[in-house]
Amino acid sequence: MKAAAIVAAAAFALGANLAHATGTPDSALIARGQYLTRIGDCEACHTQPGGKPFSGGLAISTPFGTIYTPNITPDPETGIGKWSFADFYRAMHEGIGKGGEYLYPAFPFPSYTLLSRDDVKAIWAYLGTLPPAHQADRGNTLRWPYRIRQTMAVWRHLYFQPGPYKPDTTRSAQWNRGAYLVQGLAHCGACHTPRNRLGAKSTEVPLAGGSVAIDGWIAPNITPNKVLGIGAWPAGGVRDFLATGRGAHRNALGPMRDVVQSSLQYLRGNDLDAMVAYLRTVPSFGPSRPPAGAPTAATVAPAPGAKPKQAPPGEALYRKHCAACHGDGGIAKHDYYPNLRNSSVALAPNPTNLVLIILRGGFQASTKTYPYPYSMPPFGFKLSDQDIADIANYIRGSWSKWPVAAVYPDQVGNLR
């Protein structure tokens, strides 16, 4: 106990010293930094399963190889204990490490560059209060030539423009706060915006849905599109989803569940409102229709020998395994289950998330509002690839006129 107290006191003293160096009152700065760190969800990425908070080691899979997050505790040997504020600000604002090395954009410095200097000071002060964790960083396992950091010079020239957020004077203070959070600290576009072959976010369709799988999941469209995005959601529904991970249109599962649980549930009401206000105004992006004649979920060929008016193959399976919660017509029987009728998850051009939900199931986020979440049971262990494809096609094709591509068993098999 005595040793732990000494470590804790030393860590707080370091944080207080950092705060003093920035010229801002210690306790207020540190508390603000803790709040901002939560918005940025820094702990989630900088903590490996079973590891000490912020000590790094989490493997992030990218199309270019695996990147391991660094230790950002104040440990002087393996963390950032010997960094100055100038070092930290340069990493956040310019994506350049203490030794002058280019950082990979798996660290979302293209978003963090928008942060104000004062906010970076607060985050830096809070990190200084963390218990130092002695854990050496793991080496990345990137393919050639991506393992050569100097190649990032080309990437940065093409895709990175450093600079703090510049308020839009034609918009309200609330809208600008939302833009600052969504574009910057919360870095929503890091997952929800498609990326090109070199891993840069698309500037043409921001927030139109991810193109890179995260633990197998694809981040959905969060533009105001009324079919695939959040355009049909009431404003209160979007706010509630951010705070609780629950909504009439979808529940947060996969990586988004973790974001809600470790970050978004802690946001103040005015910041949630600001994010919603901004998201309501971004350019809407909707899907294109399938090519003429392409099979859709509503017109998947029936089994050989089937009668012309036979029920869709997935209907019986849906009624047996899904209807008790999600309703015979896709309207959930309780508000803690999401509706499947006109669900943006069900109608997404890429059916990956729907298939994964059926395969893996999952718990909703545990939050202050709903500490004991409901769960979706997995069906991958009891249903075949064909069964799951049939259920997915029934959900995607039964209650909406919007044409969506069919799901086939081999797609299910690839996701198992």
Side-chain angles (χ1 to χ4, degrees):
M1 293 292 291
K2 184 177 180 180
I6 292 173
V7 170
F12 184 83
L14 175 58
N17 288 337
L18 292 172
H20 182 268
T22 60
T24 307
D26 300 349
S27 59
L29 184 75
I30 292 169
R32 181 163 153 244
Q34 181 181 31
Y35 177 70
L36 295 172
T37 301
R38 276 221 164 118
I39 297 177
D41 206 14
C42 306
E43 182 176 353
C45 282
H46 288 277
T47 307
Q48 64 179 321
K52 295 180 180 179
F54 298 94
S55 64
L58 180 71
I60 297 180
S61 178
T62 78
F64 316 105
T66 301
I67 290 176
Y68 294 91
T69 58
N71 183 340
I72 57 171
T73 72
D75 183 71
E77 301 300 327
T78 64
I80 59 174
K82 293 182 179 179
W83 286 40
S84 66
F85 172 68
D87 294 330
F88 185 70
Y89 183 78
R90 184 169 67 162
M92 294 283 282
H93 182 70
E94 299 179 31
I96 298 176
K98 178 177 173 58
E101 71 277 13
Y102 293 135
L103 302 180
Y104 291 108
F107 171 59
F109 65 85
S111 298
Y112 290 163
T113 191
L114 299 178
L115 270 61
S116 70
R117 192 176 186 86
D118 285 345
D119 279 353
V120 178
K121 286 180 182 178
I123 293 169
W124 169 242
Y126 169 68
L127 292 179
T129 70
L130 299 174
H134 190 81
Q135 178 172 294
D137 292 341
R138 297 181 62 178
N140 300 323
T141 54
L142 296 172
R143 300 193 309 275
W144 187 89
Y146 309 110
R147 69 172 70 106
I148 303 172
R149 286 188 182 265
Q150 289 82 346
T151 61
M152 283 301 301
V154 177
W155 189 94
R156 293 165 64 90
H157 175 73
L158 292 172
Y159 304 116
F160 177 54
Q161 182 64 47
Y165 176 76
K166 296 180 180 179
D168 183 341
T169 57
T170 68
R171 298 283 191 171
S172 67
Q174 181 189 56
W175 185 96
N176 275 290
R177 175 65 175 173
Y180 177 77
L181 293 175
V182 171
Q183 296 178 20
L185 187 55
H187 60 282
C188 305
C191 294
H192 290 275
T193 295
R195 294 179 180 268
N196 64 20
R197 294 179 62 183
L198 293 179
K201 292 183 294 184
S202 170
T203 58
E204 297 179 353
V205 286
L207 304 179
S211 56
V212 178
I214 304 171
D215 293 334
W217 302 81
I218 302 294
N221 184 328
I222 55 172
T223 73
N225 182 267
K226 292 186 177 181
V227 177
L228 298 185
I230 59 172
W233 297 28
V238 180
R239 187 186 193 277
D240 289 346
F241 178 83
L242 294 176
T244 68
R246 294 174 45 165
H249 295 75
R250 71 170 74 121
N251 286 343
L253 296 176
M256 189 61 191
R257 169 192 175 274
D258 299 334
V259 171
V260 170
Q261 189 162 293
S262 62
S263 174
L264 294 177
Q265 70 159 313
Y266 297 102
L267 268 65
R268 300 175 187 129
N270 59 337
D271 279 341
L272 289 172
D273 290 337
M275 292 177 71
V276 174
Y278 171 72
L279 289 172
R280 288 291 191 185
T281 66
V282 301
S284 174
F285 178 78
S288 59
R289 299 175 68 89
T296 67
T299 60
V300 174
K307 296 178 181 179
K309 294 185 178 181
Q310 184 180 6
E315 181 175 348
L317 289 167
Y318 176 87
R319 292 184 183 281
K320 179 178 179 180
H321 298 291
C322 313
C325 295
H326 297 287
D328 289 336
I331 302 297
K333 295 186 176 181
H334 299 284
D335 61 3
Y336 38 78
Y337 302 130
N339 295 325
L340 299 181
R341 180 187 291 266
N342 295 324
S343 162
S344 57
V345 175
L347 298 180
N350 186 332
T352 291
N353 289 354
L354 178 62
V355 172
L356 285 180
I357 291 170
I358 301 171
L359 279 171
R360 300 178 183 177
F363 280 93
Q364 298 174 8
S366 175
T367 63
K368 296 172 291 184
T369 308
Y370 300 104
Y372 305 107
Y374 287 87
S375 65
M376 161 82 179
F379 290 94
F381 74 97
K382 66 192 302 184
L383 297 179
S384 68
D385 293 349
Q386 183 66 63
D387 289 341
I388 291 175
D390 287 344
I391 292 174
N393 284 323
Y394 179 73
I395 293 171
R396 284 163 68 79
S398 293
W399 307 303
S400 173
K401 295 180 180 179
W402 191 266
V404 289
V407 180
Y408 292 96
D410 60 335
Q411 294 173 277
V412 178
N414 290 336
L415 291 171
R416 280 190 183 269

